[in-house]
Amino acid sequence: MCRSTQAASEPGERDGRPGPRPGPETVVIRVTGRVSGSEVPTLCAELGARIDETRHDGATPVEAVCDVAALPADLAAVEAVARLHLTARRHGARLHLHDVRPELRELLHLVGLGCLTETAELPEEPG
């Protein structure tokens, strides 16, 4: 559906309705190497804290990107990805995977988590 656009006005400037929502903020987490079951709760706690910290106003949309380039394709990786996905959702964010290797992509599709394997781009580093 196409819409014509006008210059954005400040909220309430013309008609009392809120202005456009800001774009999503991005939280990036990198998982490197083999992940043990005992490390997954720590990864999830870190992701949840970073999402909450990024959504400081409670309304800013947040997208979480997990770089899994160095993650081997095994059941521990599937558990880690599944729990990170659940953590992101519980904190009101969406999880996307970045740089998914073909073996891990196939395994995630096999267990019903293929929706997470869409390609996600990492934000540029400030600098």
Side-chain angles (χ1 to χ4, degrees):
M1 175 180 197
C2 269
R3 288 188 194 176
S4 62
T5 58
Q6 298 176 348
S9 60
E10 290 298 315
E13 184 177 294
R14 274 197 311 234
D15 56 9
R17 292 185 301 168
R21 288 184 54 137
E25 295 287 332
T26 303
V27 172
V28 177
I29 187 167
R30 287 178 173 84
V31 181
T32 57
R34 193 167 303 277
V35 177
S36 72
S38 63
E39 296 170 315
V40 174
T42 303
L43 285 171
C44 290
E46 179 185 340
L47 178 62
R50 291 188 59 201
I51 290 169
D52 291 344
E53 179 181 292
T54 302
R55 182 183 285 121
H56 49 82
D57 63 2
T60 304
V62 176
E63 302 246 339
V65 177
C66 184
D67 186 348
V68 294
L71 190 62
D74 58 18
L75 291 178
V78 170
E79 178 190 5
V81 168
R83 291 185 56 192
L84 286 167
H85 170 63
L86 183 59
T87 298
R89 291 202 46 170
R90 285 181 177 160
H91 289 265
R94 292 185 56 205
L95 179 73
H96 302 280
L97 301 180
H98 173 73
D99 210 2
V100 184
R101 296 185 342 195
E103 302 85 14
L104 182 57
R105 182 182 307 275
E106 288 177 24
L107 193 53
L108 290 168
H109 276 280
L110 183 67
V111 298
L113 293 173
C115 62
L116 299 178
T117 63
E118 321 171 333
T119 303
E121 296 300 319
L122 294 177
E124 292 183 22
E125 295 288 327

